[in-house]
Amino acid sequence: MFIKEDARYWKLEMSFVLKREELPHFSKHIVSKGYSLFAPVKKEGRSAFKKIGEDHVDEISLDYIRTTMPPLKALLIPPKETLLRIKDGRIEEVLPNPADKIAIMGVHPCDVNAMSLLERVYTDRPEDPYFKARRNSLLIIALNCKSADEYCFCTSFGTGPSLDEGFDLLLTDLDEGFLVEVGSRKGAELVGDFYMPKALSTDLMEKDETIRRAKGMIRKHVNTAGIQRIMTGALYNPIWNELAGKCTGCGACNMVCPTCFCFNVVDEIELDSGSVLRSRTWDGCLLWEYAEVALGGNFRRDLSARIRQFVNHKMNYWLNQYGALGCVGCGRCIEQCPARIDITNVVARLRGELL
Ligand code: SF4
Ligand code: SF4
């Protein structure tokens, strides 16, 4: 019989400690295995993911709460990507090279869970070959959160601040370095020939304490009980007009959201080669052009209808489409909104929890 103590034993068997000063060496080790490595670096006071060359591993900084752009969405569905090239009547698919191995290090739990939601969208029929090719080449080194700020509300959805699955390796920042837990065969292969001491049960206890502290820092919350019924009952609530009076229609909320998956398809002519390139670019329901059709028609001309769509898609329609809510509580849309519109407040007001 597999009892709780056995689980803890096996967890220890597959857990290691990476000393803080060894992080650059481990990063070089990943690059030496043929991976293109992406990791967070500090840039003008913010953290952003970038591709890390072997000579720049010292720039990696895993001490951050949230990047402006969602790292996994940006890697798997780039903001702009060419899908097809059409020349001389021939259509050539421009698919990612399956031999290109990508590793991303330092992704927080909410973003890993957002990627799992994107997987439902992009592997649902019809399967998206561009997403699938990149996902198959991707190795995820996730990072449990050790702190949270006033925008985080992942605990409302169980999408953070820690992770149980969806990673190849999982890091937790401890006093002496990083606890490294193995989550897949690819992850095991990566640590297999890089020496790290085995973790002790005290390291696992320190991990639990780190996560407990991070949870305690989360102040925002969305009450999801019966949320679909409440949202559907509020389709004609005056709140949508009130929010439209504040919203600028900039679409920043869509662009920074790790679960927003809409794109537009455009054709561009390359004059020198005579080819036509068909590309897709990120699009979002808050943008006026999003619902525009021929002859000047627009199904969501009113900003109130566009905001209602954004909030309802996350908190209502996703459940019927993909069997889960479409928000992971990363807080990006709240932090980046120039009008200070807060999706948690909108839901609380619709529930009658706030006036
Ligand atoms: S709706 Fe806002 S908080 Fe939720 S996942 Fe998108 S950006 Fe994050
Ligand atoms: S970020 Fe704020 S202002 Fe901009 S479209 Fe979204 S809700 Fe409106």
Side-chain angles (χ1 to χ4, degrees), residues 153 253 256-259 310 314 326-333 343:
F153 58 106
C253 46
V256 300
C257 177
T259 67
F310 178 76
K314 305 293 172 196
C327 177
V328 293
C330 72
R332 286 187 176 93
C333 60
I343 193 167

Side-chain angles (χ1 to χ4, degrees), residues 76-116:
L76 293 167
I77 325 157
K80 179 175 183 187
E81 80 170 312
T82 301
L83 305 175
L84 306 171
R85 176 176 286 109
I86 305 164
K87 191 171 182 202
D88 302 330
R90 281 202 323 278
I91 299 175
E92 179 201 333
E93 263 190 321
V94 187
L95 281 165
N97 183 350
D100 289 345
K101 298 199 296 181
I102 306 166
I104 185 164
M105 179 196 275
V107 191
H108 282 318
C110 60
D111 282 325
V112 175
N113 278 303
M115 186 206 64
S116 303

Side-chain angles (χ1 to χ4, degrees), residues 252-278:
C253 46
N254 291 134
M255 298 302 134
V256 300
C257 177
T259 67
C260 271
F261 55 81
C262 291
F263 56 81
N264 189 23
V265 175
V266 288
D267 286 344
E268 294 162 282
I269 298 170
E270 278 190 326
L271 284 178
D272 48 350
S273 70
S275 308
V276 173
L277 295 183
R278 177 160 293 177

Side-chain angles (χ1 to χ4, degrees), residues 41 46 61 103 146-147 185 293 324 345 354:
V41 299
R46 294 277 309 175
S61 169
K146 67 170 182 179
S147 49
R185 184 179 292 275
V293 291
N345 275 328
L354 278 180

